[in-house]
Structure formats: C-alpha cells, structure tokens
Amino acid sequence: MVGLLYMARLLFIISIVFCVCVSCNDENDETKQAWDPSRTFMVSHISNCHGVMFGQEFVAGIDVELSYESGRVKVLLTERILDDAKDDLLEVLGFEETSRTMTRQEYLMFLNNFHAYLTVTPLVRKKG
Amino acid sequence: MELLTVFIYSIKHIFMPGEATPILVALGFVGADRRVLLRLATGLALSNGGIMVAALLIGLFAYQRSSHLILSVTPYLRFMIVAVFFFMALYFLLRGLSIGNQSAGTISGNKLDIITARPFITGLLIGFIPSTSDIGFIPIAPMLLLNRGINGLWITIITVWVGVIVSFTGVSCIISLLPIAYLKKRINRLENILYIVSSIIMLLLAAWLGYYIWLDYYS
C-alpha cells in the first residue's frame, strides 16, 4: 500500500509538472507568435465538427476570412458560406453587411454565436 | 431531414471538449454501477436542456440589459468546467488513496463518496454550467425567434435536448457494460489504480482545456 501511495503521488506530481511545462513552453519560445484568430479553440471545433473553413487570406474553399490588426479582428463571411447557409445567417449573427470588425472579446463571442447557430441550423453544402 | 441532422449534431456535441461526458466515462471506468451512471446522466441531460432553455429566455427577454455582463463573464463561465474537472481529479485521487486504508480506519470511503452518493444532484449541478453554444444562444435568440417562429425554434431545441438525453444515457449504458467489477475481484489493487489513472486523466484534461481557454482570452 505504501508503494502504491508513493506511485500515486509521483504520478500526480509528474502530471502537474507536465502541465506546467506545456503551459510555459510558449513563453520561452523565441518564435512565439502573436494571437491568431484562426487558431482559437472554437474555430478548430467549428471547422472539424461543422465543416466551416476559416482562413487568413482568401482562397477557394474558405467560408470565413479573418484578418487581425491592432487588436481588432475583421471577419468576412464569403460567398461560399452565404450560398450554403440559410438566408437569415447575417441577420441572426447581427451582421449588417458581409464583413464586420470587432474586438477580440467580441470575436470570441461571435464564434460562440456562430457555433450556436450552426448547432440549430446545420450547413448543407450545395457544391460537394 | 434537417431535424435528423440537428439530432446527430447534438449527439456529437456531448463528446466536445468542455462537456461533462468525461466525468461520466471516468465514473464508469472506476466501476460505478449502471444506476449511479444513469442517475448522473439524467441529471446532466435535464440541466443541459434547462440551461439551453434558460439561455434562450435570457436572450429573448434580457439580452439588451445584460449583453456587457455576458461578454465579460463568458471566460469565467468557461473556466467553471475546468474547475469541475480539477475537483474530479482531486476526488478520484483521494478515493484512490483511501480505499486501501478503509480497513485501517484512517479515512472513511463513505465520507469521500460525495459524488456517487448523490449522482442525480451532482449531474444536475454540473449540467448547469453553460457550454459555449448555450452562451452563444443568448445573443442570437431574438433573431432566431423572429426568423424561425416560436414553433420552429422550440422543435429544434427539443430535438437538441432529446439528442443530449439519448447520448448521455447511451454513454452510461455502454460504459456500464465494462467488466470492471469482475476485474476488481480478480486483480489486487485494481480499484486504486483505476482511481489514480482517472485522476491523472481528469487533471490533464483540466490543464489542456484551461490552457486553451487561457490562450483564447488572455494570451
């Protein structure tokens, strides 16, 4: 039992050290990159689970084009998603036109809203 | 057809990081019986639906007054599930360490058994932590209602809710099929090891999720 206790403590300490190392790794990295709006947690979920493609420059197959400058994110909903989504997409998301510039916090909230919209309105791809 | 897709999406979503499914799986993994798992799943499913409806109602009646508050509390709401995972990691660790000591009378297993003793209440409490899509429903609720109509909106929400109920109960039934009780009798100290392994997995999950939420909001 004593051996098991030690093993448990050791494993627990190792996992805590591992977590700390993972979280500190970026801080020491000289090539640390700036925050990227296309690499957030919700973007990866929306891309993987709902099939909506995000990108920083316009290429074919991108649904949401993102650009990040001086602390503000510009979100552009491309023709591709406007064709495939329901007509009320812009209205429900609170967009007056296809692009909107927002703060980082507003952008993260937009992703939550977009995700909720996609949960109740699955995207049907018209072209493959 | 659209409702079927919504139903399938809602099933997929309970496996999304940040949902409470790992707790259900971990409890099954350490040998909680089917009744405990089903009660926990029922609590989770009921409160998940309840929070979804609450989000829609807040969106419909109070969003204009609370929009700034929602924007500022969202990161903290997302960290709540991280805290629950962390708490579960500690719970599993203490259980794992205490089981062998029960006969020596050092720590009573029952005193620590706060989760399996009240699984339905535990499920209800954990399920009330809003997920990202629950938070996302608040701002879009008014326009969704306007465009889909009250019937269209409720039918979709009920479909999502049914999907959540089916998937949580389905997961608990599948997990309870694992022959953990049999293996515990055969392998000495297996229960301690399962608790400790579950504890480490929950801790890593909490760290991973917390790290990504921190990256999103504070990096």
Side-chain angles (χ1 to χ4, degrees):
Chain A
M1 186 61 202
V2 176
L4 191 70
L5 271 170
Y6 279 118
M7 192 188 79
R9 284 173 191 159
L10 189 67
L11 281 172
F12 210 71
I13 290 166
I14 289 170
S15 54
I16 289 173
V17 171
F18 171 77
C19 298
V20 171
C21 289
V22 165
S23 57
C24 292
N25 192 33
D26 274 356
E27 299 296 325
N28 300 329
D29 194 348
E30 285 180 7
T31 57
K32 187 188 171 190
Q33 292 177 334
W35 179 75
D36 181 351
S38 63
R39 287 176 185 268
T40 64
F41 186 79
M42 280 311 290
V43 165
S44 64
H45 169 72
I46 293 171
S47 303
N48 296 332
C49 188
H50 298 270
V52 176
M53 293 299 136
F54 289 75
Q56 289 214 331
E57 55 187 44
F58 183 76
V59 285
I62 292 288
D63 294 301
V64 184
E65 196 186 321
L66 303 166
S67 52
Y68 183 54
E69 263 180 51
S70 51
R72 295 181 76 81
V73 185
K74 188 182 175 192
V75 177
L76 170 73
L77 301 172
T78 64
E79 285 294 323
R80 186 172 187 252
I81 192 159
L82 294 174
D83 285 345
D84 294 340
K86 277 197 172 181
D87 295 338
D88 62 1
L89 174 70
L90 291 176
E91 201 178 359
V92 171
L93 293 179
F95 277 52
E96 286 169 6
E97 48 192 26
T98 54
S99 74
R100 199 175 131 191
T101 306
M102 49 189 96
T103 62
R104 179 166 159 179
Q105 213 167 19
E106 286 169 341
Y107 167 70
L108 292 166
M109 195 65 197
F110 153 78
L111 291 175
N112 290 341
N113 303 346
F114 191 28
H115 178 235
Y117 178 86
L118 291 169
T119 307
V120 292
T121 319
L123 205 57
V124 182
R125 292 289 180 197
K126 288 170 187 161
K127 294 174 190 169
Chain B
M1 188 64 193
E2 189 181 303
L3 285 178
L4 180 66
T5 321
V6 169
F7 179 74
I8 293 166
Y9 269 133
S10 67
I11 291 176
K12 271 170 87 175
H13 274 85
I14 73 143
F15 300 101
M16 182 186 159
E19 296 291 339
T21 318
I23 296 170
L24 202 58
V25 174
L27 279 172
F29 185 61
V30 295
D33 67 29
R34 186 176 299 165
R35 281 176 64 188
V36 169
L37 292 176
L38 279 173
R39 284 178 187 171
L40 185 77
T42 311
L44 280 172
L46 283 178
S47 50
N48 248 282
I51 200 76
M52 208 156 49
V53 173
L56 285 170
L57 292 175
I58 291 170
L60 291 176
F61 298 110
Y63 179 60
Q64 293 302 327
R65 276 167 286 170
S66 56
S67 58
H68 286 290
L69 180 71
I70 290 163
L71 206 63
S72 54
V73 300
T74 299
Y76 304 110
L77 290 175
R78 291 193 62 196
F79 272 119
M80 278 174 76
I81 195 72
V82 178
V84 169
F85 285 158
F86 187 72
F87 172 77
M88 289 299 294
L90 285 178
Y91 167 78
F92 283 134
L93 181 74
L94 290 173
R95 287 283 288 165
L97 296 180
S98 69
I99 286 168
N101 289 341
Q102 281 173 32
S103 54
T106 50
I107 303 172
S108 164
N110 290 331
K111 281 180 186 169
L112 284 169
D113 200 2
I114 49 176
I115 290 170
T116 47
R118 296 276 184 276
F120 180 72
I121 302 290
T122 308
L124 268 185
L125 291 175
I126 295 172
F128 271 122
I129 298 171
S131 67
T132 49
S133 39
D134 295 327
I135 299 165
F137 275 129
I138 299 173
I140 67 171
M143 292 316 290
L144 269 181
L145 181 72
L146 201 68
N147 286 289
R148 311 285 163 88
I150 188 84
N151 289 339
L153 188 57
W154 286 121
I155 288 169
T156 316
I157 293 301
I158 288 167
T159 309
V160 174
W161 197 346
V162 170
V164 170
I165 294 169
V166 168
S167 31
F168 274 133
T169 47
V171 167
S172 19
C173 287
I174 292 166
I175 293 296
S176 63
L177 292 175
L178 292 172
I180 300 291
Y182 171 76
L183 290 173
K184 274 182 192 172
K185 285 177 193 163
R186 303 274 300 189
I187 304 167
N188 195 25
R189 300 285 182 218
L190 180 69
E191 193 168 8
N192 302 67
I193 293 166
L194 287 177
Y195 269 112
I196 290 162
V197 169
S198 301
S199 164
I200 291 166
I201 291 170
M202 293 305 285
L203 184 73
L204 291 175
L205 193 62
W208 180 79
L209 197 59
Y211 175 60
Y212 276 97
I213 297 171
W214 176 82
L215 272 185
D216 280 0
Y217 286 93
Y218 304 108
S219 68

